[in-house]
Amino acid sequence: MIRSLRSRQLISGFGVIMVGIVMLGSMLHWFSYRYKIDQKQDELTEISYNVLGYLEFQDGKFSVVDDPEIKGKVEHMVDQYGLRDPGLGKFSYVIDSSTSEVVWSATSTKNPNDVSNPDQFLYFDLDDHQSNFKPFFSQKKPRPPKDKKALESNPQRQQLYNQEYLLSAQNFYMKPYGSYQFIVGISIADVEKEMQAMRRSIAILLFFSAVLVLIAQLALSFWVVAPIKEFEDEVKSIEAGEKETIGDQYPEELIPIKNALNGLLGYEKGQKQRYKDSLDDLAHSLKTPLAAMQNQLDQLNREASNNPNAPPGLKVLGIQIERMHEIIAHQLRKAMVTNQGAMLMAQPVRPVLFRLRDTLQKVYRDKPFEFRLNVDEYAKCRMDAEDMMELFGNLLNNACRFCKDLVEISAHHENNMLVIDIDDDGMGFPTDNPAKLLQRGVREDSKTDGQGIGLAVSTEIISAIGGKIELLVSPYVGARVRLHLPI
């Protein structure tokens, strides 16, 4: 199946036009051929009537009317029509249908008793027709001669047998002598030559027409399909995150599609924002009751610390409250993470990293360490700005918390992906199964504050945009988090 509209338009248009040209050329060839054959038939009819009008049948023989004036007219007519020599491609004779012998020939007008050499005549296998004054026509090649070897030594004679002839024939029944056939023939080799030349001309015309039609089709294709190509490029720009909506002007056939896509993009953006706002409102509405419950639980725990008969359910209640905090955080994060299928603009990474560096250096001002940032301004990835801040905020916070003296961020491009390495010189990841840290609630240092969902949230963000996260060993012997982000 042809998927390209341009290819379909080219093939269909070119095919229809070329089929039309071939049909017109074939019809022109056929009408020209029929016109020339009709002219030959008219000529044969004229010769047949004129010659036959001067013949008479007496005592079983055909001859010209015995009148010197008529004989002179017949001789002039035979010379005028070129019937004197059958080798010239025109002939006229009467043949006995029962014996297939020539009993009269136009060549014998000067000597009525001389029918010449029978081998000089061309014989044809004609269909039987009823006796009729009106001649019937046929196109045939002559029967091969009896002496074929003589034909091989005479190329001119051989050419006569290879040609096709147009014949005019009339059948006569003369009692009691039998039936006879009056034949007038003419070679149509000249017609075949003209048709062959015409076929060559049509072939040349067809070739140049095909070239011109192809050029015209290509020009028309680019002119007609160009708006579709521009529309496709603009959609790709939106997919690549370079634009937010389709803004160019297009033909009226594409305007409904443009409006539908822009409406869909606006709806998706608004729906995401409404979803985020709804969950944010829900989280804030639950925050106060949870804070009250947490305060009450803390008070009960303080009272129970001096009471050996304190109910054991306080510990379970504390676990469930903490679990509710985690669920709220998870759902908020889920609302913030953008789907992989969403059309996102490419965002520069460097400004976000600079902001986070300044913030984290203030947070960890009591911890002396070096923060290296080796990311240029060309490093971009397709990610929501809030997702990017959340992703790098979690990972850099972990790196600053666990490092000793150094946190380093570097970036490079690889296979249409932006690869970012976050290195520190801390204690690193566990050697047995570092991937387990990507699961929610799991952390390597249980003594460190935190809910253990930072890496898991980062994994959710990376997976949602079609990227990948790896936990490796840093060149500084600490931890390396490698991010593969779409660009």
Side-chain angles (χ1 to χ4, degrees):
M1 179 180 179
I2 302 175
R3 298 181 180 271
S4 172
L5 290 177
R6 177 174 289 149
S7 300
R8 289 186 179 188
Q9 191 265 343
L10 280 175
I11 294 174
S12 60
F14 182 78
V16 169
I17 294 176
M18 294 312 300
V19 168
I21 293 177
V22 171
M23 291 180 63
L24 289 175
S26 301
M27 292 176 63
L28 177 62
H29 178 271
W30 186 81
F31 281 119
S32 299
Y33 181 76
R34 290 310 312 169
Y35 175 76
K36 294 182 180 297
I37 293 298
D38 290 342
Q39 284 184 320
K40 296 287 186 181
Q41 288 181 355
D42 293 340
E43 182 180 358
L44 290 180
T45 301
E46 180 183 355
I47 295 174
S48 177
Y49 287 155
N50 288 338
V51 173
L52 194 60
Y54 294 109
L55 290 181
E56 62 179 1
F57 184 78
Q58 291 183 351
D59 300 329
K61 293 183 179 180
F62 283 89
S63 62
V64 179
V65 176
D66 190 12
D67 185 294
E69 183 178 353
I70 292 179
K71 287 184 178 180
K73 289 182 179 180
V74 171
E75 290 182 7
H76 175 72
M77 181 180 60
V78 168
D79 292 334
Q80 179 183 358
Y81 288 139
L83 302 175
R84 185 73 64 187
D85 185 4
L88 298 178
K90 284 185 180 181
F91 50 86
S92 176
Y93 57 78
V94 178
I95 190 171
D96 190 333
S97 300
S98 59
T99 61
S100 297
E101 293 181 357
V102 176
V103 296
W104 179 87
S105 170
T107 59
S108 63
T109 53
K110 290 185 177 181
N111 187 3
N113 296 323
D114 182 18
V115 190
S116 299
N117 183 10
D119 292 337
Q120 72 176 334
F121 296 106
L122 302 174
Y123 298 91
F124 301 86
D125 295 324
L126 297 177
D127 299 331
D128 293 333
H129 285 72
Q130 294 182 354
S131 298
N132 193 341
F133 183 74
K134 187 177 181 179
F136 65 91
F137 298 94
S138 180
Q139 288 180 224
K140 289 186 177 293
K141 284 187 177 182
R143 293 198 304 257
K146 296 179 180 179
D147 188 6
K148 295 183 179 180
K149 293 183 178 180
L151 191 64
E152 295 177 357
S153 60
N154 190 343
Q156 185 177 2
R157 187 72 176 170
Q158 186 177 3
Q159 183 178 2
L160 291 177
Y161 278 90
N162 291 332
Q163 295 177 163
E164 194 172 64
Y165 294 84
L166 179 63
L167 305 173
S168 169
Q170 293 171 272
N171 293 324
F172 301 97
Y173 184 72
M174 303 295 184
K175 294 182 180 180
Y177 299 99
S179 60
Y180 299 89
Q181 197 171 53
F182 175 61
I183 298 175
V184 180
I186 185 171
S187 172
I188 57 173
D190 56 338
V191 176
E192 292 297 333
K193 288 182 180 179
E194 291 179 10
M195 291 298 100
Q196 186 175 2
M198 187 176 184
R199 285 193 292 270
R200 285 196 298 266
S201 300
I202 292 176
I204 295 173
L205 177 63
L206 181 64
F207 172 76
F208 284 105
S209 298
V211 174
L212 293 177
V213 167
L214 185 59
I215 294 174
Q217 282 292 106
L218 287 172
L220 182 63
S221 171
F222 280 105
W223 185 63
V224 173
V225 185
I228 300 178
K229 178 62 176 175
E230 294 174 4
F231 193 89
E232 177 189 1
D233 293 339
E234 196 163 3
V235 171
K236 288 181 178 178
S237 298
I238 295 175
E239 291 178 346
E242 299 172 359
K243 301 181 66 175
E244 292 186 349
T245 59
I246 300 174
D248 293 345
Q249 297 297 323
Y250 294 99
E252 59 183 13
E253 291 81 3
L254 296 177
I255 290 178
I257 303 176
K258 169 188 172 182
N259 294 336
L261 281 177
N262 284 339
L264 182 61
L265 292 171
Y267 176 79
E268 180 193 16
K269 185 176 180 181
Q271 184 72 6
K272 180 175 179 289
Q273 187 63 42
R274 286 190 295 271
Y275 184 43
K276 290 164 59 176
D277 292 343
S278 298
L279 283 180
D280 201 23
D281 293 340
L282 178 62
H284 282 86
S285 63
L286 293 176
K287 185 181 297 183
T288 301
L290 281 176
M293 292 172 63
Q294 185 66 51
N295 291 334
Q296 187 64 35
L297 180 62
D298 293 341
Q299 182 178 352
L300 292 175
N301 284 330
R302 286 193 297 270
E303 294 176 356
S305 61
N306 299 322
N307 185 3
N309 297 322
L314 294 178
K315 184 176 181 181
V316 176
L317 183 60
I319 294 175
Q320 293 304 317
I321 291 176
E322 183 178 355
R323 176 60 178 161
M324 291 173 68
H325 279 291
E326 291 183 3
I327 292 174
I328 292 174
H330 172 68
Q331 293 301 326
L332 284 175
R333 182 59 258 160
K334 188 175 181 181
M336 295 294 293
V337 174
T338 305
N339 293 332
Q340 181 177 352
M343 297 180 181
L344 299 173
M345 295 186 65
Q347 304 287 340
V349 176
R350 185 181 175 93
V352 175
L353 296 178
F354 270 109
R355 288 172 55 191
L356 289 172
R357 183 191 65 176
D358 296 341
T359 301
L360 291 171
Q361 284 179 338
K362 293 177 182 178
V363 172
Y364 294 96
R365 60 181 177 273
D366 296 332
K367 182 179 182 179
F369 66 93
E370 182 182 1
F371 201 119
R372 295 178 186 172
L373 189 56
N374 301 323
V375 178
D376 57 36
E377 63 273 14
Y378 299 106
K380 294 183 179 182
C381 66
R382 292 174 55 194
M383 185 186 303
D384 184 80
E386 296 181 12
D387 289 345
M388 186 182 297
M389 183 66 70
E390 180 74 16
L391 172 66
F392 289 113
N394 285 331
L395 297 178
L396 291 178
N397 182 61
N398 288 339
C400 294
R401 184 169 55 182
F402 292 109
C403 75
K404 294 179 180 179
D405 300 309
L406 175 65
V407 172
E408 182 180 70
I409 307 173
S410 57
H412 66 278
H413 290 85
E414 180 180 309
N415 297 329
N416 294 324
M417 301 288 282
L418 176 65
V419 179
I420 296 181
D421 291 328
I422 301 176
D423 295 304
D424 65 70
D425 59 349
M427 62 182 181
F429 298 119
T431 56
D432 53 347
N433 186 17
K436 70 181 181 180
L437 296 179
L438 300 178
Q439 301 173 4
R440 180 174 295 274
V442 178
R443 61 181 188 269
E444 178 63 10
D445 185 5
S446 59
K447 296 180 182 180
T448 307
D449 294 335
Q451 297 177 340
I453 62 173
L455 284 175
V457 169
S458 301
T459 303
E460 290 178 8
I461 297 175
I462 294 293
S463 300
I465 62 174
K468 185 174 68 171
I469 183 170
E470 295 179 290
L471 304 183
L472 307 171
V473 178
S474 170
Y476 307 107
V477 191
R480 163 172 283 185
V481 179
R482 172 167 290 179
L483 306 178
H484 298 263
L485 307 176
I487 58 176

